[in-house]
Amino acid sequence: MAISTLGAPFGTETVCASDASAARLDELQFDLGEGPCWDAVAARRPILTSNIRQHGNPTWPVFLQTLDETDIGGLFAFPMRVGSLDIGAVDLYSHRPRSLTGAQVADATALVGIAARQVLRRVLLSHTIKPDLGADEGYSRRVVHQATGMVLAQLDLSASDALLILQGYAFSHGRTVREVADDVVSRKIDFTSELDGS
């Protein structure tokens, strides 16, 4: 299981994950901008994929391809909302293909509602406390935001285009966006020289 915020106004990051596989599933979806968590938020309903390898959504071609390296069988994404406010998604996975019963979907939906309120409470409380700007531990994507700003300044792009450059570079080099962002922030990668051929 992984709980994540997605897009505005909370940013995109994993709030918590039950294990490394769940965290990796989230990171893949963040890096690629496709997958069930994005669809759950957009559709505002659960996306239930009992056998991800046989019945995965064709609008997730790269995400589905990356799952070949995992032992994921079923993947279930539930949107986190409080009223009309979209917060993010909760992803549940199973190692073997399986379906959820109606009662399990209802229970998961109720628990996701509780999680949504807790995430919203956490975000609101964190704005009253001075953040530790040096902390980027756990599943935080702060370094991705910092690197996006640096690429934005280097190439005079919009924030969304700068993030797209990071995602494309990561994909083309077989790395995660967070790894590339670390290198940008530590000045190991400078896109002014990357893109002018030097």
Side-chain angles (χ1 to χ4, degrees):
M1 179 273 311
I3 299 174
S4 56
T5 57
L6 294 170
F10 304 107
T12 301
E13 72 177 62
T14 303
V15 175
C16 64
S18 61
D19 57 32
S21 293
R24 179 70 180 140
L25 282 172
D26 253 14
E27 188 164 30
L28 286 170
Q29 292 180 85
F30 296 163
D31 289 356
L32 299 171
E34 64 182 42
C37 73
W38 294 106
D39 285 5
V41 171
R44 294 184 164 184
R45 65 175 177 78
I47 302 297
L48 309 174
T49 312
S50 58
N51 187 334
I52 193 76
R53 295 177 201 291
Q54 290 186 358
H55 306 294
N57 189 322
T59 63
W60 316 327
V62 182
F63 176 69
L64 291 174
Q65 187 177 22
T66 62
L67 290 181
D68 290 342
E69 304 164 8
T70 70
D71 62 348
I72 305 303
L75 189 53
F76 315 96
F78 294 82
M80 281 196 307
R81 301 176 66 217
V82 175
S84 62
L85 182 62
D86 294 320
I87 295 174
V90 174
D91 286 336
L92 306 173
Y93 77 92
S94 62
H95 293 290
R96 294 188 324 251
R98 64 165 296 171
S99 297
L100 298 180
T101 66
Q104 289 171 323
V105 171
D107 288 346
T109 300
L111 291 171
V112 167
I114 294 168
R117 290 188 295 279
Q118 292 302 318
V119 170
L120 179 59
R121 179 176 290 121
R122 176 181 160 178
V123 168
L124 293 174
L125 288 174
S126 72
H127 284 285
T128 63
I129 301 168
K130 183 178 177 187
D132 176 4
L133 297 177
D136 189 28
E137 55 192 50
Y139 302 114
S140 172
R141 304 227 351 138
R142 180 179 295 136
V143 71
V144 175
H145 301 299
Q146 291 171 328
T148 300
M150 291 176 71
V151 173
L152 179 151
Q154 290 171 4
L155 302 177
D156 192 27
L157 297 172
S158 68
S160 59
D161 286 345
L163 179 58
L164 191 60
I165 293 286
L166 286 173
Q167 291 170 323
Y169 185 92
F171 180 76
S172 68
H173 288 80
R175 302 176 68 198
T176 68
V177 172
R178 190 189 317 224
E179 290 169 345
V180 172
D182 282 333
D183 284 353
V184 170
V185 170
S186 64
R187 292 176 170 60
K188 293 177 185 172
I189 297 174
D190 181 337
F191 282 97
T192 53
S193 59
E194 282 289 332
L195 297 180
D196 70 6
S198 61

